[in-house]
Amino acid sequence: MKVLVVHGPNLNLLGQREPEVYGSLTLADIEQELSDLAQRLEVSIEFYQSNHEGEIVTRLQEADQDCDVILINPAAFTHTSVAIRDALAAIQCPAIEVHLSNIHAREEFRQHSYTASVSVGVITGFGKESYLLGLRAAVALVQPS
Ligand code: DQA
C-alpha cells in the first residue's frame, strides 16, 4: 500500500512562516514523523510539495497510477482551486484533506473548501497531528480492520 502526501503552496516555509499559526516544526520535521508512522503501520509513503496549481493537478492525475490513497493539504488552493477539486474528482484514488490550523476558526475566506466535498473527510486544526491522524485514516480506509 502506498500513500502520497501532497503539500500545497508556502508549506515549504513551515517553521519560519507565521509560527504563531502554523507552529515551529519544518516540513521536513513533519515528513520525518509521517515516515516513522508509515514504517510502524507498514505502508510506503511519498511526499510531494509544489507552489504551482498545475503541477499539483498533474501529480494528482499521476497518483491514480502509482498510489492507493492521497493525504493532501492544498493550503491556499483549498479556498481557490476548482482545478485541484476537479483533479480529485476525476481520479479513482481516494483523498483525505488535512490542515494544520482550524480553517473554520479563521478568516471568512478560509472557511470554504473547494476540495472538501471531493475528499473522503477533512482533519483540520490539530497542527502536525492533523497529518498523523490523516495517515492513520488513510491506512484504515484502504486496509479496514
Ligand atoms: C492551511 C490553511 C490555509 O488556509 C492556508 O492558506 C495554508 C495552510 C493549514 O494547513 O492550516 O497555507 O492549509
Side-chain angles (χ1 to χ4, degrees):
M1 172 181 165
K2 180 167 164 188
V3 184
L4 173 67
V5 182
V6 177
H7 309 285
N10 300 305
L11 293 171
N12 54 313
L13 299 180
L14 282 181
Q16 42 172 304
R17 173 193 180 205
E18 298 180 85
E20 66 288 358
V21 178
Y22 299 115
S24 56
L25 294 180
T26 65
L27 196 60
D29 294 332
I30 291 173
E31 289 183 348
Q32 185 59 58
E33 293 208 29
L34 283 167
S35 293
D36 292 347
L37 179 59
Q39 199 174 1
R40 289 203 296 280
L41 297 175
E42 298 181 350
V43 298
S44 58
I45 193 161
E46 182 185 321
F47 301 104
Y48 179 79
Q49 192 275 329
S50 176
N51 294 323
H52 302 278
E53 185 176 20
E55 287 180 1
I56 293 173
V57 168
T58 299
R59 185 65 191 93
L60 291 174
Q61 291 177 4
E62 290 167 359
D64 232 7
Q65 313 305 318
D66 64 10
C67 298
D68 299 295
V69 59
I70 296 164
L71 201 59
I72 184 167
N73 184 348
F77 291 144
T78 307
H79 319 296
T80 63
S81 181
V82 176
I84 291 175
R85 182 239 174 257
D86 284 354
L88 290 170
I91 61 177
Q92 301 300 314
C93 188
I96 294 168
E97 178 173 324
V98 300
H99 299 281
L100 294 156
S101 63
N102 179 356
I103 59 171
H104 301 293
R106 299 186 61 195
E107 301 96 322
E108 201 176 333
F109 69 86
R110 293 185 204 277
Q111 295 179 25
H112 177 256
S113 167
Y114 279 98
T115 41
S117 63
V118 288
S119 300
V120 178
V122 181
I123 301 170
T124 184
F126 298 95
K128 70 167 186 184
E129 294 299 330
S130 293
Y131 279 95
L132 297 168
L133 290 165
L135 178 56
R136 289 186 185 280
V139 174
L141 187 71
V142 178
Q143 298 176 344
S145 52

